[in-house]
């Protein structure tokens, strides 16, 4: 497969998954605020700021906005085109990548993605965001579900599928850790235990994991029980362990090497991370520090993305070589290269 095609398929699905997860992140903070309606403006900002910190875009947000109010945060994450990771920007990037490889996609898949793009750029979409934001985000989430369903039903299980599936699960694993990391930035409240339970419940809801949690655990959600499900479960599709297992499988199917070995940096990092997740525990994470553990996981996801890029997109790049001339790289590929460093 041409490296350009593989790169576009990989990023097309990553951006779709990113748009879905950003919608979920906004819902998390909205759910948290429902229980704290009487907070003053300063403490309201303290509840919105964690969502920016969790996405890793706090520096850009600080350059564009002076205050972390609900309106500014929602705009930044939803339809601010100056934010390359906003929902609108992510969908636009997904469509651009799809446009470059339309011959690799089914007509139904292209139509679904193009329809979503037209919706977010339509007057009807803008009006819906203003008048009924809950329905707006629900529309986006349902469209991403449909996209993934059509892809699963219409894409042959070839290298194309492996790159798409890899992009989906790498983005999902990264965002699951960012959901969990929101708790690291939340302000303290008077009702400590009750508030903590509410925070963990909201995070489970944002991952669509509340039903799975109730099926496996008795009692109220706690840091340990939520981590057991969202970090270490081997059968819940949004857990980090499940996603890393899929990533490792995808990487070895692409390279043709047996699992348990590695032929490039991405396989090495993924294999090591999978082993640590298989033998790790929530107790160890909480004892060592949740934020530091999640931050390290996000660094490793970046290393996997960078290793994949170096192995299959521009395999001749080494740290000792000069950067690729800008004229030889398209605007989309240039942006995606920069994303590997985030």
């Amino acid at each position: 497969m041409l490296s350009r095609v593989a790169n576009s398929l990989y990023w097309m699905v990553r951006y779709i998954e990113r748009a879905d997860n950003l919608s979920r992140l906004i819902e998390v903070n909205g759910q948290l605020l429902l229980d704290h309606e009487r907070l003053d403006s300063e403490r309201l900002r303290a509840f919105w700021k964690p969502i920016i910190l969790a996405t890793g875009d706090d520096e850009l947000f600080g350059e564009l906005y002076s205050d972390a109010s609900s309106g500014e945060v929602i705009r930044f994450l939803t339809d601010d085109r100056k934010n390359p990771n906003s929902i609108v920007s992510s969908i636009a990037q997904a469509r651009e990548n799809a446009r470059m490889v339309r011959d690799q996609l089914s007509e139904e898949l292209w139509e679904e993605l193009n329809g979503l793009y037209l919706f977010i750029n339509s007057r009807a979409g803008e009006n819906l965001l203003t008048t009924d934001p809950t329905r707006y985000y629900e529309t986006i989430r349902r469209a991403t579900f449909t996209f993934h369903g059509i892809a699963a039903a219409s894409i042959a299980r070839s290298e194309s599928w492996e790159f798409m599936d890899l992009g989906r699960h790498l983005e999902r694993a990264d965002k699951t850790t960012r959901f969990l990391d929101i708790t690291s930035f939340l302000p303290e409240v008077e009702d400590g235990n009750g508030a903590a339970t509410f925070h963990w419940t909201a995070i489970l809801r944002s991952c669509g994991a509340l039903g799975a949690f109730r099926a496996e655990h008795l009692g109220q959600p706690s840091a340990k029980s939520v981590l057991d499900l969202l970090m270490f479960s081997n059968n819940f599709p949004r857990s980090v362990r499940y996603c890393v297992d899929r990533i490792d499988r995808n990487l070895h199917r692409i390279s043709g090497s047996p699992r348990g070995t590695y032929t490039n940096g991405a396989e090495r990092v993924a294999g090591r991370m999978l082993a640590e997740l298989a033998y790790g525990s929530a107790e160890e994470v909480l004892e060592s520090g949740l934020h530091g553990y999640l931050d390290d996981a996000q660094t490793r996801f970046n290393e996997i993305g960078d290793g994949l890029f170096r192995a299959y997109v521009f395999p001749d790049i080494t740290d000792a070589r000069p950067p690729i001339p800008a004229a030889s790289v398209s605007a989309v590929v240039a942006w995606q290269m920069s994303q590997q460093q985030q």
Side-chain angles (χ1 to χ4, degrees):
M1 175 179 288
L2 293 175
S3 60
R4 176 187 63 82
V5 174
N7 188 59
S8 293
L9 292 170
Y10 165 83
W11 278 106
M12 174 188 69
V13 178
R14 278 205 73 164
Y15 280 124
I16 286 294
E17 186 71 21
R18 185 170 300 177
D20 174 40
N21 281 283
L22 278 174
S23 298
R24 293 171 179 274
L25 274 176
I26 295 172
E27 288 190 59
V28 168
N29 232 44
Q31 291 168 6
L32 291 175
L33 290 176
L34 290 176
D35 200 42
H36 301 281
E37 296 177 352
R38 297 182 179 179
L39 293 181
D40 56 35
S41 59
E42 182 178 351
R43 297 194 68 190
L44 281 172
R45 285 193 294 273
F47 271 96
W48 279 109
K49 192 173 182 179
I51 201 170
I52 296 295
L53 294 171
T55 63
D57 291 323
D58 49 301
E59 183 176 346
L60 177 60
F61 180 83
E63 295 174 0
L64 297 175
Y65 298 93
S66 60
D67 187 28
S69 65
S70 59
E72 290 184 332
V73 171
I74 290 173
R75 180 186 175 191
F76 177 73
L77 294 175
T78 302
D79 61 343
D80 190 341
R81 297 177 190 274
K82 293 181 181 179
N83 174 14
N85 290 315
S86 70
I87 292 173
V88 168
S89 296
S90 294
I91 294 172
Q93 290 285 354
R95 181 184 180 275
E96 178 61 17
N97 278 282
R99 186 188 63 80
M100 293 191 293
V101 290
R102 278 196 63 178
D103 60 321
Q104 301 288 319
L105 309 176
S106 64
E107 285 297 320
E108 295 84 357
L109 192 62
W110 166 257
E111 289 172 1
E112 182 63 31
L113 178 50
N114 192 51
L116 178 58
Y117 172 80
L118 294 175
F119 165 74
I120 63 170
N121 287 284
S122 67
R123 186 175 297 277
E126 294 175 356
N127 291 338
L128 189 61
L129 178 59
T130 302
T131 60
D132 193 352
T134 299
R135 187 180 170 195
Y136 177 88
Y137 296 119
E138 180 67 20
T139 299
I140 291 174
R141 289 178 57 187
R142 287 189 178 277
T144 62
F145 293 158
T146 303
F147 174 89
H148 288 309
I150 294 174
S154 63
I155 301 297
R157 297 312 190 258
S158 60
E159 282 188 348
S160 295
W161 171 260
E162 299 301 334
F163 277 102
M164 292 170 64
D165 199 52
L166 174 56
R168 178 183 184 181
H169 287 94
L170 185 57
E171 184 70 22
R172 179 173 292 180
D174 177 78
K175 289 301 183 289
T176 295
T177 62
R178 295 183 186 276
F179 275 74
L180 290 167
D181 209 19
I182 289 175
T183 60
S184 302
F185 304 106
L186 288 170
E188 295 183 2
V189 293
E190 295 178 1
D191 181 14
N193 293 332
T197 297
F198 185 81
H199 296 330
W200 290 116
T201 301
I203 290 173
L204 287 169
R205 287 184 181 278
S206 71
C207 292
L210 190 57
F213 178 87
R214 288 172 173 169
E216 296 184 12
H217 298 271
L218 298 176
Q220 297 295 327
S222 64
K224 178 186 178 303
S225 58
V226 172
L227 284 174
D228 281 337
L229 179 65
L230 293 184
M231 282 299 303
F232 297 105
S233 172
N234 63 355
N235 53 30
F236 182 66
R238 284 191 175 271
S239 81
V240 175
R241 179 180 174 184
Y242 181 94
C243 289
V244 173
D245 180 70
R246 292 290 292 263
I247 291 166
D248 185 67
R249 185 188 310 172
N250 294 139
L251 287 169
H252 285 90
R253 286 180 176 175
I254 292 169
S255 69
S257 62
R259 299 185 73 178
T261 66
Y262 66 89
T263 59
N264 55 58
E267 291 179 353
R268 180 177 180 274
V269 176
R272 181 175 180 177
M273 191 173 187
L274 180 59
E276 292 176 359
L277 286 165
Y279 292 97
S281 69
E283 293 89 346
E284 292 174 346
V285 171
L286 294 172
E287 182 177 346
S288 63
L290 178 60
H291 176 67
Y293 179 85
L294 296 174
D295 194 54
D296 178 68
Q298 291 157 19
T299 298
R300 294 192 188 195
F301 296 142
N302 290 338
E303 291 174 353
I304 293 172
D306 183 67
L308 179 73
F309 191 83
R310 292 174 180 272
Y312 297 107
V313 181
F314 286 106
D316 294 330
I317 293 179
T318 66
D319 292 338
R321 297 190 179 199
I324 302 171
S328 67
V329 183
S330 72
V332 171
V333 173
W335 164 244
Q336 290 165 179
M337 289 173 65
S338 71
Q339 290 287 283
Q340 301 291 354
Q341 304 304 320
Q342 290 192 3

